[in-house]
Amino acid sequence: MREAAYHLPEIPDAPARLVAAITDALVGVLGEDIRKQIIVTIVGVPDGRTGVAGTVA
């Protein structure tokens, strides 16, 4: 995801919500015993450092 997506004023807790949702999804597939071992890293990609169909996006 682009870095700007983590700084939307209408969703100030976006990173926390993403971490919780991804953790819950993994627990849903792998079981509750895995929760304490899950590490979620949210990495924002700065503008100009991604490409779509061969074009910088």
Side-chain angles (χ1 to χ4, degrees):
M1 278 177 65
R2 293 201 177 119
E3 179 67 29
Y6 302 119
H7 303 287
L8 299 172
E10 61 271 18
I11 311 171
D13 61 342
R17 291 171 64 181
L18 285 165
V19 168
I22 292 166
T23 299
D24 290 345
L26 288 166
V27 167
V29 172
L30 301 172
E32 188 63 40
D33 292 342
I34 198 79
R35 184 177 296 275
K36 289 185 178 183
Q37 298 177 43
I38 296 172
I39 298 170
V40 178
T41 304
I42 303 294
V43 179
V45 179
D47 287 340
R49 297 219 180 150
T50 59
V52 177
T55 304
V56 174

